Structures are given as C-alpha cells and as structure tokens.
Amino acid sequence: MKLTLIGTGYVGLVTGTCFAEVGHQVVCVDNDAAKVKLLQSGGIPIYEPGLEELVKKNVAAGRLTFTNSTAEGVQKSDVIFIAVPTPPQPDGSVDLSFIEKVARDIAAAMTTYKIVVDKSTVPVRTGEKVTETIKRYCPAKVDFDVVSNPEFLREGFAVGDLMKPDRVVIGVRSQRPVAAMKEIYTPFNAPIIVTDINSAELIKHAANSFLALKISYINAIAAICEATGANVQEVAQGIGLDERIGRRFLNAGIGFGGSCFPKDLSAFIKIAEQMGYDFRLLKEVQRINADQMNRFVKKITDTLWVLKDKKIGVLGLAFKQNTDDVRSSPAIDLCQRLQKEGAKLRVHDPKAMDKAKAALADATYVDDMNAVAEGCDAIVIATEWDEFKKLDLERARKSLSHPIMFDGRNLFDRVEMERLGWIYKSVGR
Ligand code: UGA
C-alpha cells in the first residue's frame, strides 16, 4: 500500500521503515529540512539498534523516501499517519499544537478520500478534534476517515517491537477504513483489535500507566526488602512466574524515566481530572518513583557522607539501555543531584554522551567505561546497559580510593561483590 508518515521522530521513522520492510511504499515527511537531508543521504538522526541497516535497505529498494513537503506526502498516499510529538505542558496536560497543525496541513492538501491515522500518544477524544479540524480546513471538502492506531514500541527495542507486535489496536468511527488498516498490518502477523476511537486512545495511556505502576510497585517492594533483609529479585521472580502477573517490568532500580512514562502519567492524571475522576492510584505511582531516587541519593550520602569535592564515577546517562535518549533520564537527574551536593563527576555512556552534554555540561566525559573509576571515591551504575556487566571489576577496585559501588540497576551479584571486597549497595537486596 502507499503510506505516508508525518514526523520522523522515533515513532515515525521506525514505523515508516518497518512498513517499507514488509513491502509497503512509504513516504516519510518532516518539517526539519536538515533532518530530511540527513536521511536522504543515508544518515540516521537517532541511535536505535537495527534501524540504520533497515533504512538503507529500503531506501535502496525504492520503498522508502523522505521529503519536507506535507502536501507531497498527502498526494502520494492513501493512508496518512500522524506521528508528531505531543509534549507535556507545565500543568501536566498535553500540548496538541503539532497535531492540530498537521491536521490542518493534511486537510489543505487533500483532494481525494484519505485515511488519516493518529499514531502519536494523545488524550482520549483527540480523534474527534482531528476530525472537526480536517472538516473545517479542507477546501476540497472530500471524504476522509480518522483512525486511532497507538504505537507500543520501546526505544532501544523499537524495530523488534514493531516487526513482532503483541497486538495492533485500530480505533475507528465507521467500517470504511478497517479493510485498508488490516491490509497494512497483515504482514506483521499480530492480533488486531478493532474498536472505537476513544477506546483506542485510552488503551495507550492505560497501558503505559499500568507498566509504570508495575515498576513503582516493585520499587515499593524493594523498600520493604531493604527494611527486612529480603531480596527484591527473588520476590520479583516469585510473583512474576504467576502468569497473571508476569516477570517483565518488575526490575527495581532508580525509577522510570524517558519521554513516555512520566509524561503519559501526568497526562492521564490530568485527563481523568478533566473527566471528574481523581486518579490517586497514579499519583502514588509518581510519588513512589520520585521517592525511589531520593532513597538512592540518601544511600550515597549515608555512605560517603559529605559529597562536596568527592569524585564519583557514573556509568550510564541514557534513560535506559540501548538508546542515546536522555530525555527525563533518571541517570541525568541523579548526576545533577550529586553535582548539586558538590560532587565532581566522571561519566560514561556507550551511546548517550553527546546528547547528555547539553544537560550535564560540568562533568568529565570518559570514552572507556573501564577508565571511569580512576581517581574516584565511588562508582555508580545509573543505566541498565548490559555491557556494564562486563566492567573490569579488578581494575575499577584498584582505581578507586575505596572500593565502593552504588548499583542503581542491580547489575551485579551482591554476594559475589562482597566476596571480591566491594562495599556494594544496590536496590532492594
Ligand atoms: C514505553 C513503553 O514500554 C512502550 O510500550 C511505549 O510504546 C512507549 O513507552 C511510548 O509510549 O512511546 P520506553 O519509554 O521506550 O517505552 O521505555 P521502557 O522500556 O518502557 O522503559 C521506561 C523506563 O522504565 C526506563 O527508565 C527504564 O529504565 C524503566 N524500567 C523499565 C524500570 O525501571 N524497570 C523495569 O522493570 C522496566
């Protein structure tokens, strides 16, 4: 099918590329001329495992093209996906101005029937607004359908999540766009749920909030484990093997971050408030998440006492592994808090160092993870990168003034670390 994606951020670019990979003809539109140029010349603006190869392959096959003209994108395709940012506003609500602008641009360019699909994460009832907007701003007064098709990809695993989705959700107001939407997704072999637009929009916020709730739940359990000498990983395993609960997203740590969970929780709480429901459960999820970081910082100050002029090595800056994204990263938050107390930081991340520099200027960036500990008083693990498990512990121990490690992601075995002579503090163990 002929498909257009408007917005080439994580969602737009990965979705467009995967659509091309299964054989669709895809145009990706972005108003950032520099980004389009980069993509046209084979460059990738983000780090996402597997993406670069896939983009190159599909560009070469002639199935994937880039432009900064929305009108061109609209004219070339039957189905137009909106995948633009929906950033948070100071009061927690969502800024829908990019969605509104794109809806108007699509409307202005439409001369034949189109299916306009919202992929961005939006508050329930946004589909109604998009429909009204397109009707109002379409001079050609042609027929169209608005569809809600939320995305569930995780950064760092986006290509895999897209090629093998757990489910595809399609929210419609009439049956007319259903056949085309099913045709788009048939090659992905996933269960397809066809529902109304409001339910589809709600599914996205409800899913992300539930996953965040799972993380806060295990972090709360971690606090109890610490008070009682129990081990949160054993507890997670013990409850996670119950299929009704599941083991995934039960890793205790320094809390969740990123461009989705914190924003989506605030938005969902706000939406509920506007509908007359006080979503206290989700407010508590936020509170536990904030508290988790406070408790970790306290662990560091309890051990190192005064942080002023202490040198601390930090492994991890990205908000999680396999990405260079540092938006709302707990690791950056932690670094800033240590700096506020006067600590001097030596930091390393396998992919996120360039992007971290804007948020964390006053730190020494170290290219080799094994050199981070040099001259430091302690070392901190802030992101769950698998490769940190291969840290040269002997070299790190000798580089530190005292062998102290704060493992905010439970990457190492506590008993083994203590046997090796470390003062080792992790989460919930
Ligand atoms: C999340 C959802 O997982 C996706 O399904 C969704 O599509 C996406 O948001 C979105 O709305 O676009 P993402 O933000 O990429 O994906 O990252 P996650 O893998 O969900 O991790 C979020 C945060 O939770 C990270 O800071 C991670 O370190 C933390 N986390 C995750 C934990 O602390 N413990 C866990 O067990 C899992």
Side-chain angles (χ1 to χ4, degrees):
M1 288 190 71
K2 289 182 179 159
L3 311 175
T4 287
L5 276 288
I6 300 185
T8 57
Y10 272 98
V11 174
L13 183 57
V14 181
T15 310
T17 307
C18 292
F19 281 163
E21 174 67 11
V22 298
H24 298 305
Q25 193 65 38
V26 179
V27 182
C28 283
V29 181
D30 204 291
N31 60 5
D32 181 340
K35 204 188 218 184
V36 169
K37 225 173 169 183
L38 177 76
L39 287 160
Q40 281 168 337
S41 64
I44 303 287
I46 50 173
Y47 171 72
E48 185 62 43
L51 183 63
E52 191 169 348
E53 298 79 355
L54 230 51
V55 170
K56 283 195 174 132
K57 179 179 160 198
N58 285 285
V59 168
R63 286 190 298 264
L64 181 62
T65 56
F66 301 95
T67 174
N68 44 33
S69 162
T70 303
E72 183 190 328
V74 172
Q75 273 141 25
K76 280 193 170 158
S77 297
D78 316 311
V79 186
I80 323 294
F81 288 82
I82 304 178
V84 294
T86 49
Q89 309 200 86
D91 69 348
S93 64
V94 180
D95 176 359
L96 292 167
S97 56
F98 297 110
I99 298 269
E100 197 260 359
K101 168 83 171 64
V102 168
R104 279 193 283 136
D105 291 347
I106 294 171
M110 275 176 15
T111 51
T112 53
Y113 171 79
K114 302 283 174 192
I115 299 173
V116 180
V117 186
D118 175 46
K119 255 215 170 292
S120 305
T121 301
V122 293
V124 56
R125 308 191 88 162
T126 300
E128 292 169 11
K129 293 284 177 206
V130 170
T131 307
E132 276 169 34
T133 305
I134 295 178
K135 239 185 224 159
R136 192 171 301 147
Y137 288 91
C138 180
K141 300 286 172 219
V142 289
D143 259 6
F144 65 94
D145 271 295
V146 167
V147 173
S148 167
N149 172 219
E151 59 79 23
F152 301 103
L153 58 85
R154 291 162 302 158
E155 286 181 25
F157 304 91
V159 172
D161 285 351
L162 231 138
M163 295 305 291
K164 278 179 173 254
D166 288 346
R167 78 300 205 186
V168 171
V169 173
I170 296 171
V172 290
R173 220 169 48 140
S174 76
Q175 287 306 303
R176 188 170 175 189
V178 172
M181 292 303 297
K182 283 190 172 167
E183 195 180 330
I184 294 169
Y185 281 105
T186 300
F188 296 95
N189 285 322
I192 296 180
I193 297 167
V194 178
T195 180
D196 61 281
I197 296 180
N198 287 347
S199 301
E201 289 168 340
L202 261 178
I203 285 169
K204 174 60 196 254
H205 270 130
N208 269 8
S209 302
F210 191 81
L211 291 168
L213 181 146
K214 255 185 122 173
I215 300 169
S216 276
Y217 184 79
I218 203 67
N219 281 334
I221 299 286
I224 299 171
C225 287
E226 284 173 17
T228 55
N231 181 334
V232 73
Q233 285 176 314
E234 307 283 319
V235 177
Q237 182 73 355
I239 62 175
L241 283 173
D242 183 330
E243 277 181 19
R244 293 168 302 173
I245 297 173
R247 174 64 183 84
R248 294 171 76 191
F249 279 68
L250 284 180
N251 295 320
I254 55 173
F256 56 79
S259 65
C260 302
F261 284 176
K263 177 193 89 164
D264 289 353
L265 270 180
S266 301
F268 205 21
I269 290 168
K270 194 79 196 166
I271 294 160
E273 185 188 305
Q274 285 159 356
M275 309 290 160
Y277 182 73
D278 182 5
F279 217 146
R280 279 180 292 180
L281 177 67
L282 295 188
K283 290 179 185 168
E284 191 57 20
V285 169
Q286 289 180 318
R287 195 195 61 74
I288 293 170
N289 199 49
D291 201 41
Q292 194 66 5
M293 179 62 82
N294 293 338
R295 294 192 321 107
F296 192 70
V297 172
K298 185 167 181 302
K299 238 174 242 174
I300 297 175
T301 51
D302 279 353
T303 309
L304 298 181
W305 192 23
V306 174
L307 293 191
K308 192 168 183 307
D309 295 330
K310 292 257 161 68
K311 266 199 186 167
I312 300 179
V314 179
L315 287 174
L317 298 165
F319 82 98
K320 64 168 190 181
Q321 67 166 330
N322 284 344
T323 180
D324 62 353
D325 196 346
V326 296
R327 288 175 293 171
S328 300
S329 168
I332 298 279
D333 181 21
L334 176 62
C335 287
Q336 288 168 338
R337 294 181 59 159
L338 298 177
Q339 283 182 329
K340 218 166 150 204
E341 298 284 326
K344 305 271 181 278
L345 304 183
R346 287 170 61 76
V347 299
H348 169 81
D349 188 282
K351 293 285 173 206
M353 297 218 276
D354 283 346
K355 289 197 175 157
K357 280 174 187 159
L360 200 68
D362 210 12
T364 304
Y365 285 79
V366 183
D367 285 333
D368 174 7
M369 73 169 174
N370 286 312
V372 162
E374 266 160 35
C376 287
D377 297 282
I379 190 163
V380 173
I381 311 273
T383 307
E384 66 272 40
W385 282 98
D386 256 348
E387 54 205 90
F388 293 161
K389 291 181 188 160
K390 295 188 203 115
L391 181 73
D392 183 341
L393 287 171
E394 189 50 22
R395 177 171 163 193
R397 208 167 61 84
K398 286 184 181 145
S399 306
L400 292 163
S401 63
H402 297 92
I404 303 174
M405 181 188 283
F406 301 96
D407 183 354
R409 299 295 189 165
N410 289 347
L411 293 190
F412 293 96
D413 184 277
R414 188 180 62 84
V415 176
E416 178 63 7
M417 289 300 278
E418 283 167 6
R419 194 188 64 77
L420 292 172
W422 285 84
I423 298 167
Y424 177 74
K425 312 267 173 181
S426 53
V427 181
R429 303 188 297 172

mmCIF file of all heavy atoms in Angstrom, residues 123-158:
data_model
loop_
_atom_site.group_PDB
_atom_site.id
_atom_site.type_symbol
_atom_site.label_atom_id
_atom_site.label_comp_id
_atom_site.label_asym_id
_atom_site.label_seq_id
_atom_site.Cartn_x
_atom_site.Cartn_y
_atom_site.Cartn_z
ATOM 1 N N PRO A 123 -4.520 12.464 24.266
ATOM 2 C CA PRO A 123 -5.614 12.274 25.217
ATOM 3 C C PRO A 123 -6.856 11.726 24.514
ATOM 4 O O PRO A 123 -7.075 12.011 23.335
ATOM 5 C CB PRO A 123 -5.899 13.687 25.735
ATOM 6 C CG PRO A 123 -4.743 14.513 25.332
ATOM 7 C CD PRO A 123 -4.105 13.854 24.151
ATOM 8 N N VAL A 124 -7.629 10.952 25.259
ATOM 9 C CA VAL A 124 -8.882 10.435 24.711
ATOM 10 C C VAL A 124 -9.730 11.615 24.211
ATOM 11 O O VAL A 124 -9.744 12.661 24.825
ATOM 12 C CB VAL A 124 -9.623 9.585 25.785
ATOM 13 C CG1 VAL A 124 -9.873 10.357 27.059
ATOM 14 C CG2 VAL A 124 -10.916 9.014 25.233
ATOM 15 N N ARG A 125 -10.362 11.455 23.104
ATOM 16 C CA ARG A 125 -11.225 12.394 22.398
ATOM 17 C C ARG A 125 -10.458 13.292 21.418
ATOM 18 O O ARG A 125 -11.046 14.171 20.793
ATOM 19 C CB ARG A 125 -12.058 13.263 23.357
ATOM 20 C CG ARG A 125 -12.823 12.419 24.370
ATOM 21 C CD ARG A 125 -13.798 13.219 25.107
ATOM 22 N NE ARG A 125 -15.059 13.232 24.378
ATOM 23 C CZ ARG A 125 -16.206 13.559 24.944
ATOM 24 N NH1 ARG A 125 -16.244 13.921 26.203
ATOM 25 N NH2 ARG A 125 -17.309 13.548 24.259
ATOM 26 N N THR A 126 -9.154 13.063 21.269
ATOM 27 C CA THR A 126 -8.400 13.863 20.291
ATOM 28 C C THR A 126 -8.878 13.556 18.874
ATOM 29 O O THR A 126 -8.947 14.453 18.031
ATOM 30 C CB THR A 126 -6.881 13.599 20.428
ATOM 31 O OG1 THR A 126 -6.488 13.961 21.743
ATOM 32 C CG2 THR A 126 -6.072 14.408 19.427
ATOM 33 N N GLY A 127 -9.236 12.301 18.617
ATOM 34 C CA GLY A 127 -9.726 11.912 17.283
ATOM 35 C C GLY A 127 -10.912 12.760 16.857
ATOM 36 O O GLY A 127 -11.024 13.170 15.690
ATOM 37 N N GLU A 128 -11.776 13.072 17.817
ATOM 38 C CA GLU A 128 -12.948 13.905 17.492
ATOM 39 C C GLU A 128 -12.487 15.287 17.035
ATOM 40 O O GLU A 128 -13.014 15.862 16.088
ATOM 41 C CB GLU A 128 -13.849 14.056 18.730
ATOM 42 C CG GLU A 128 -14.517 12.750 19.140
ATOM 43 C CD GLU A 128 -15.204 12.835 20.512
ATOM 44 O OE1 GLU A 128 -15.355 13.947 21.066
ATOM 45 O OE2 GLU A 128 -15.580 11.756 21.022
ATOM 46 N N LYS A 129 -11.493 15.824 17.728
ATOM 47 C CA LYS A 129 -10.979 17.166 17.396
ATOM 48 C C LYS A 129 -10.284 17.156 16.030
ATOM 49 O O LYS A 129 -10.429 18.090 15.251
ATOM 50 C CB LYS A 129 -9.981 17.626 18.466
ATOM 51 C CG LYS A 129 -10.618 17.876 19.806
ATOM 52 C CD LYS A 129 -11.366 19.190 19.766
ATOM 53 C CE LYS A 129 -12.078 19.458 21.080
ATOM 54 N NZ LYS A 129 -13.257 20.324 20.920
ATOM 55 N N VAL A 130 -9.524 16.088 15.771
ATOM 56 C CA VAL A 130 -8.832 15.991 14.479
ATOM 57 C C VAL A 130 -9.871 15.932 13.354
ATOM 58 O O VAL A 130 -9.733 16.598 12.322
ATOM 59 C CB VAL A 130 -7.888 14.762 14.452
ATOM 60 C CG1 VAL A 130 -7.352 14.489 13.057
ATOM 61 C CG2 VAL A 130 -6.719 14.970 15.420
ATOM 62 N N THR A 131 -10.936 15.172 13.577
ATOM 63 C CA THR A 131 -11.998 15.077 12.567
ATOM 64 C C THR A 131 -12.605 16.453 12.290
ATOM 65 O O THR A 131 -12.734 16.877 11.135
ATOM 66 C CB THR A 131 -13.106 14.110 13.056
ATOM 67 O OG1 THR A 131 -12.481 12.869 13.412
ATOM 68 C CG2 THR A 131 -14.154 13.864 11.990
ATOM 69 N N GLU A 132 -12.952 17.173 13.349
ATOM 70 C CA GLU A 132 -13.545 18.523 13.183
ATOM 71 C C GLU A 132 -12.589 19.437 12.433
ATOM 72 O O GLU A 132 -12.987 20.191 11.547
ATOM 73 C CB GLU A 132 -13.771 19.169 14.559
ATOM 74 C CG GLU A 132 -15.053 18.783 15.245
ATOM 75 C CD GLU A 132 -15.058 19.261 16.700
ATOM 76 O OE1 GLU A 132 -14.485 20.338 16.985
ATOM 77 O OE2 GLU A 132 -15.605 18.534 17.550
ATOM 78 N N THR A 133 -11.299 19.360 12.800
ATOM 79 C CA THR A 133 -10.295 20.250 12.201
ATOM 80 C C THR A 133 -10.157 19.983 10.711
ATOM 81 O O THR A 133 -10.143 20.914 9.896
ATOM 82 C CB THR A 133 -8.929 20.051 12.906
ATOM 83 O OG1 THR A 133 -9.124 20.260 14.287
ATOM 84 C CG2 THR A 133 -7.878 21.019 12.381
ATOM 85 N N ILE A 134 -10.079 18.692 10.350
ATOM 86 C CA ILE A 134 -9.910 18.372 8.924
ATOM 87 C C ILE A 134 -11.139 18.846 8.137
ATOM 88 O O ILE A 134 -11.011 19.440 7.066
ATOM 89 C CB ILE A 134 -9.650 16.862 8.726
ATOM 90 C CG1 ILE A 134 -8.307 16.478 9.374
ATOM 91 C CG2 ILE A 134 -9.642 16.497 7.239
ATOM 92 C CD1 ILE A 134 -7.945 15.012 9.290
ATOM 93 N N LYS A 135 -12.329 18.619 8.703
ATOM 94 C CA LYS A 135 -13.560 19.049 8.031
ATOM 95 C C LYS A 135 -13.518 20.549 7.776
ATOM 96 O O LYS A 135 -13.803 21.029 6.687
ATOM 97 C CB LYS A 135 -14.744 18.728 8.957
ATOM 98 C CG LYS A 135 -15.751 17.806 8.312
ATOM 99 C CD LYS A 135 -16.945 17.629 9.199
ATOM 100 C CE LYS A 135 -17.301 16.158 9.216
ATOM 101 N NZ LYS A 135 -18.098 15.752 10.361
ATOM 102 N N ARG A 136 -13.100 21.276 8.815
ATOM 103 C CA ARG A 136 -13.112 22.746 8.749
ATOM 104 C C ARG A 136 -12.085 23.282 7.753
ATOM 105 O O ARG A 136 -12.327 24.247 7.071
ATOM 106 C CB ARG A 136 -12.830 23.300 10.149
ATOM 107 C CG ARG A 136 -13.097 24.772 10.284
ATOM 108 C CD ARG A 136 -13.019 25.212 11.747
ATOM 109 N NE ARG A 136 -13.964 24.519 12.586
ATOM 110 C CZ ARG A 136 -13.754 24.204 13.880
ATOM 111 N NH1 ARG A 136 -12.605 24.515 14.459
ATOM 112 N NH2 ARG A 136 -14.666 23.586 14.580
ATOM 113 N N TYR A 137 -10.922 22.659 7.681
ATOM 114 C CA TYR A 137 -9.823 23.254 6.901
ATOM 115 C C TYR A 137 -9.588 22.586 5.545
ATOM 116 O O TYR A 137 -8.585 22.835 4.915
ATOM 117 C CB TYR A 137 -8.524 23.229 7.721
ATOM 118 C CG TYR A 137 -8.546 24.224 8.859
ATOM 119 C CD1 TYR A 137 -9.002 23.857 10.117
ATOM 120 C CD2 TYR A 137 -8.131 25.545 8.665
ATOM 121 C CE1 TYR A 137 -9.044 24.767 11.160
ATOM 122 C CE2 TYR A 137 -8.171 26.465 9.695
ATOM 123 C CZ TYR A 137 -8.619 26.071 10.947
ATOM 124 O OH TYR A 137 -8.665 26.981 11.973
ATOM 125 N N CYS A 138 -10.531 21.752 5.113
ATOM 126 C CA CYS A 138 -10.341 21.074 3.819
ATOM 127 C C CYS A 138 -11.141 21.803 2.736
ATOM 128 O O CYS A 138 -12.362 21.624 2.632
ATOM 129 C CB CYS A 138 -10.796 19.615 3.916
ATOM 130 S SG CYS A 138 -10.586 18.748 2.363
ATOM 131 N N PRO A 139 -10.467 22.600 1.913
ATOM 132 C CA PRO A 139 -11.201 23.364 0.898
ATOM 133 C C PRO A 139 -11.882 22.452 -0.123
ATOM 134 O O PRO A 139 -12.952 22.782 -0.624
ATOM 135 C CB PRO A 139 -10.129 24.226 0.224
ATOM 136 C CG PRO A 139 -8.812 23.789 0.744
ATOM 137 C CD PRO A 139 -9.017 22.838 1.867
ATOM 138 N N ALA A 140 -11.278 21.286 -0.399
ATOM 139 C CA ALA A 140 -11.847 20.394 -1.426
ATOM 140 C C ALA A 140 -13.073 19.629 -0.903
ATOM 141 O O ALA A 140 -13.779 18.985 -1.676
ATOM 142 C CB ALA A 140 -10.782 19.418 -1.886
ATOM 143 N N LYS A 141 -13.310 19.706 0.399
ATOM 144 C CA LYS A 141 -14.473 19.043 1.032
ATOM 145 C C LYS A 141 -14.603 17.566 0.625
ATOM 146 O O LYS A 141 -15.694 17.083 0.301
ATOM 147 C CB LYS A 141 -15.780 19.787 0.689
ATOM 148 C CG LYS A 141 -15.814 21.240 1.137
ATOM 149 C CD LYS A 141 -15.999 21.362 2.630
ATOM 150 C CE LYS A 141 -15.850 22.788 3.138
ATOM 151 N NZ LYS A 141 -15.172 22.946 4.400
ATOM 152 N N VAL A 142 -13.481 16.838 0.611
ATOM 153 C CA VAL A 142 -13.527 15.420 0.231
ATOM 154 C C VAL A 142 -13.801 14.552 1.470
ATOM 155 O O VAL A 142 -13.637 14.995 2.601
ATOM 156 C CB VAL A 142 -12.202 14.964 -0.428
ATOM 157 C CG1 VAL A 142 -12.062 15.583 -1.797
ATOM 158 C CG2 VAL A 142 -11.000 15.301 0.452
ATOM 159 N N ASP A 143 -14.190 13.327 1.204
ATOM 160 C CA ASP A 143 -14.436 12.360 2.282
ATOM 161 C C ASP A 143 -13.121 11.937 2.945
ATOM 162 O O ASP A 143 -12.085 11.875 2.283
ATOM 163 C CB ASP A 143 -15.049 11.092 1.672
ATOM 164 C CG ASP A 143 -16.537 11.067 1.886
ATOM 165 O OD1 ASP A 143 -17.070 12.072 2.403
ATOM 166 O OD2 ASP A 143 -17.153 10.042 1.510
ATOM 167 N N PHE A 144 -13.178 11.587 4.208
ATOM 168 C CA PHE A 144 -11.975 11.073 4.883
ATOM 169 C C PHE A 144 -12.427 10.292 6.114
ATOM 170 O O PHE A 144 -13.562 10.412 6.561
ATOM 171 C CB PHE A 144 -11.037 12.221 5.312
ATOM 172 C CG PHE A 144 -11.634 13.132 6.357
ATOM 173 C CD1 PHE A 144 -11.385 12.917 7.708
ATOM 174 C CD2 PHE A 144 -12.467 14.189 6.002
ATOM 175 C CE1 PHE A 144 -11.961 13.738 8.676
ATOM 176 C CE2 PHE A 144 -13.032 15.017 6.966
ATOM 177 C CZ PHE A 144 -12.776 14.789 8.302
ATOM 178 N N ASP A 145 -11.519 9.490 6.631
ATOM 179 C CA ASP A 145 -11.766 8.821 7.911
ATOM 180 C C ASP A 145 -10.597 9.084 8.832
ATOM 181 O O ASP A 145 -9.444 9.055 8.394
ATOM 182 C CB ASP A 145 -11.922 7.310 7.714
ATOM 183 C CG ASP A 145 -13.362 6.943 7.440
ATOM 184 O OD1 ASP A 145 -14.198 7.138 8.350
ATOM 185 O OD2 ASP A 145 -13.656 6.489 6.312
ATOM 186 N N VAL A 146 -10.898 9.319 10.105
ATOM 187 C CA VAL A 146 -9.840 9.443 11.102
ATOM 188 C C VAL A 146 -9.785 8.126 11.872
ATOM 189 O O VAL A 146 -10.825 7.566 12.232
ATOM 190 C CB VAL A 146 -10.103 10.634 12.046
ATOM 191 C CG1 VAL A 146 -9.187 10.589 13.265
ATOM 192 C CG2 VAL A 146 -9.894 11.947 11.295
ATOM 193 N N VAL A 147 -8.561 7.619 12.079
ATOM 194 C CA VAL A 147 -8.357 6.349 12.780
ATOM 195 C C VAL A 147 -7.357 6.574 13.905
ATOM 196 O O VAL A 147 -6.420 7.360 13.756
ATOM 197 C CB VAL A 147 -7.788 5.289 11.786
ATOM 198 C CG1 VAL A 147 -7.396 4.005 12.501
ATOM 199 C CG2 VAL A 147 -8.794 4.989 10.678
ATOM 200 N N SER A 148 -7.571 5.909 15.030
ATOM 201 C CA SER A 148 -6.555 5.943 16.091
ATOM 202 C C SER A 148 -5.807 4.610 16.076
ATOM 203 O O SER A 148 -6.419 3.544 16.103
ATOM 204 C CB SER A 148 -7.225 6.144 17.458
ATOM 205 O OG SER A 148 -6.281 5.863 18.472
ATOM 206 N N ASN A 149 -4.481 4.685 15.997
ATOM 207 C CA ASN A 149 -3.657 3.462 15.916
ATOM 208 C C ASN A 149 -2.411 3.664 16.778
ATOM 209 O O ASN A 149 -1.337 3.946 16.289
ATOM 210 C CB ASN A 149 -3.310 3.220 14.430
ATOM 211 C CG ASN A 149 -2.327 2.116 14.195
ATOM 212 O OD1 ASN A 149 -1.447 2.222 13.335
ATOM 213 N ND2 ASN A 149 -2.446 1.037 14.931
ATOM 214 N N PRO A 150 -2.595 3.567 18.115
ATOM 215 C CA PRO A 150 -1.477 3.874 19.021
ATOM 216 C C PRO A 150 -0.291 2.946 18.812
ATOM 217 O O PRO A 150 -0.458 1.814 18.374
ATOM 218 C CB PRO A 150 -2.080 3.667 20.419
ATOM 219 C CG PRO A 150 -3.287 2.831 20.223
ATOM 220 C CD PRO A 150 -3.796 3.138 18.849
ATOM 221 N N GLU A 151 0.910 3.455 19.139
ATOM 222 C CA GLU A 151 2.103 2.622 18.997
ATOM 223 C C GLU A 151 2.568 2.170 20.373
ATOM 224 O O GLU A 151 2.393 2.860 21.361
ATOM 225 C CB GLU A 151 3.194 3.374 18.231
ATOM 226 C CG GLU A 151 3.640 4.691 18.866
ATOM 227 C CD GLU A 151 4.578 4.499 20.010
ATOM 228 O OE1 GLU A 151 5.224 3.436 20.040
ATOM 229 O OE2 GLU A 151 4.667 5.378 20.887
ATOM 230 N N PHE A 152 3.183 0.970 20.386
ATOM 231 C CA PHE A 152 3.617 0.404 21.673
ATOM 232 C C PHE A 152 5.100 0.061 21.658
ATOM 233 O O PHE A 152 5.551 -0.799 22.401
ATOM 234 C CB PHE A 152 2.787 -0.850 21.986
ATOM 235 C CG PHE A 152 1.308 -0.580 22.071
ATOM 236 C CD1 PHE A 152 0.463 -0.933 21.032
ATOM 237 C CD2 PHE A 152 0.763 0.049 23.182
ATOM 238 C CE1 PHE A 152 -0.906 -0.673 21.092
ATOM 239 C CE2 PHE A 152 -0.601 0.316 23.255
ATOM 240 C CZ PHE A 152 -1.437 -0.050 22.207
ATOM 241 N N LEU A 153 5.864 0.733 20.772
ATOM 242 C CA LEU A 153 7.282 0.366 20.685
ATOM 243 C C LEU A 153 8.084 0.980 21.830
ATOM 244 O O LEU A 153 7.778 2.063 22.320
ATOM 245 C CB LEU A 153 7.870 0.768 19.336
ATOM 246 C CG LEU A 153 7.819 2.223 18.881
ATOM 247 C CD1 LEU A 153 8.993 2.996 19.441
ATOM 248 C CD2 LEU A 153 7.830 2.263 17.363
ATOM 249 N N ARG A 154 9.093 0.219 22.248
ATOM 250 C CA ARG A 154 10.028 0.715 23.266
ATOM 251 C C ARG A 154 11.289 1.187 22.580
ATOM 252 O O ARG A 154 11.796 0.491 21.704
ATOM 253 C CB ARG A 154 10.425 -0.416 24.246
ATOM 254 C CG ARG A 154 9.345 -0.901 25.150
ATOM 255 C CD ARG A 154 9.727 -2.258 25.714
ATOM 256 N NE ARG A 154 9.966 -3.228 24.652
ATOM 257 C CZ ARG A 154 10.699 -4.338 24.774
ATOM 258 N NH1 ARG A 154 11.267 -4.642 25.923
ATOM 259 N NH2 ARG A 154 10.859 -5.164 23.760
ATOM 260 N N GLU A 155 11.801 2.320 22.983
ATOM 261 C CA GLU A 155 13.082 2.759 22.450
ATOM 262 C C GLU A 155 14.126 1.695 22.787
ATOM 263 O O GLU A 155 14.075 1.079 23.846
ATOM 264 C CB GLU A 155 13.491 4.097 23.065
ATOM 265 C CG GLU A 155 12.670 5.242 22.513
ATOM 266 C CD GLU A 155 13.082 6.572 23.103
ATOM 267 O OE1 GLU A 155 14.231 6.725 23.540
ATOM 268 O OE2 GLU A 155 12.215 7.468 23.126
ATOM 269 N N GLY A 156 15.061 1.511 21.884
ATOM 270 C CA GLY A 156 16.107 0.513 22.124
ATOM 271 C C GLY A 156 15.699 -0.872 21.625
ATOM 272 O O GLY A 156 16.539 -1.724 21.383
ATOM 273 N N PHE A 157 14.385 -1.084 21.509
ATOM 274 C CA PHE A 157 13.879 -2.375 21.020
ATOM 275 C C PHE A 157 12.804 -2.119 19.966
ATOM 276 O O PHE A 157 11.945 -2.957 19.709
ATOM 277 C CB PHE A 157 13.277 -3.203 22.171
ATOM 278 C CG PHE A 157 14.249 -3.432 23.298
ATOM 279 C CD1 PHE A 157 14.320 -2.539 24.364
ATOM 280 C CD2 PHE A 157 15.121 -4.512 23.273
ATOM 281 C CE1 PHE A 157 15.234 -2.727 25.399
ATOM 282 C CE2 PHE A 157 16.030 -4.703 24.296
ATOM 283 C CZ PHE A 157 16.092 -3.816 25.362
ATOM 284 N N ALA A 158 12.854 -0.909 19.387
ATOM 285 C CA ALA A 158 11.737 -0.435 18.567
ATOM 286 C C ALA A 158 11.505 -1.292 17.320
ATOM 287 O O ALA A 158 10.360 -1.605 16.992
ATOM 288 C CB ALA A 158 11.978 1.022 18.183
#
